[in-house]
Amino acid sequence: MSGAAPVVHQHFLNKEESFMYDRETNFPMEDTRNEARIEFTEKGVQNLSSRRCEIIKLSKSGAVIGILTKFKLPQNFYLDIPSARIPLIGCLLKRVHANNVIEARFLRLLTDRDLNRIFVYSTHPNHRNRTLDIYR
């Protein structure tokens, strides 16, 4: 028997593809306050589990999310923003902070229309006078 190391299978997002998102340009974060949900599969089971959270900062490429981090967060999950009617944005977990805040990176860039829709439904004072453009 040769002294070969055992083969370890990892999820495909843990290696090359995840570095792609770290090399992308970061868009400026804007303060917001939106209720949202994180949805993910637990232990490879097919049904989705969900946790309530709050979006604290948002950009086209990522978000800072306030959530109780007492449970095991998955590396990839979906972000659902029901008030703005934006379902299931694919996310990668970038960083978990000790003060119940996580940083997530989106798998696709949000459009300006989606960003505006989120800010219209935000309860943050900076977005108080935003209106929804229904003609776009």
Side-chain angles (χ1 to χ4, degrees):
M1 184 167 170
S2 66
V7 177
V8 177
H9 296 285
Q10 292 186 346
H11 195 271
F12 71 95
L13 286 176
N14 290 350
K15 290 286 182 194
E16 293 82 20
E17 285 84 357
S18 69
F19 296 126
M20 177 177 69
Y21 300 106
D22 296 334
R23 285 193 299 261
E24 279 184 351
T25 59
N26 286 325
F27 292 92
M29 289 276 185
E30 194 170 342
D31 289 336
T32 186
R33 198 178 301 137
N34 291 79
E35 295 294 320
R37 263 194 321 262
I38 287 180
E39 298 186 352
F40 56 94
T41 57
E42 288 186 289
K43 300 176 186 166
V45 182
Q46 287 191 344
N47 60 335
L48 284 177
S49 297
S50 69
R51 303 267 183 190
R52 293 180 60 146
C53 62
E54 183 178 41
I55 302 172
I56 300 168
K57 290 181 178 274
L58 184 71
S59 75
K60 283 185 168 191
S61 60
V64 176
I65 301 168
I67 187 169
L68 288 176
T69 55
K70 301 272 190 271
F71 66 99
K72 176 83 171 102
L73 279 167
Q75 286 298 311
N76 41 4
F77 55 87
Y78 295 108
L79 183 66
D80 186 25
I81 309 169
S83 63
R85 294 188 190 98
I86 298 176
L88 303 180
I89 303 166
C91 298
L92 287 174
L93 182 66
K94 280 179 62 177
R95 203 169 287 123
V96 178
H97 299 280
N99 60 347
N100 291 333
V101 171
I102 63 171
E103 292 180 38
R105 185 84 177 176
F106 299 147
L107 294 180
R108 66 174 171 84
L109 293 179
L110 290 180
T111 62
D112 289 332
R113 182 176 183 226
D114 286 345
L115 269 179
N116 189 41
R117 176 178 273 157
I118 293 168
F119 291 146
V120 164
Y121 291 102
S122 172
T123 58
H124 196 277
N126 289 355
H127 306 295
R128 188 174 296 138
N129 296 328
R130 291 253 184 155
T131 56
L132 194 58
D133 188 7
I134 59 173
Y135 297 109
R136 280 193 200 176

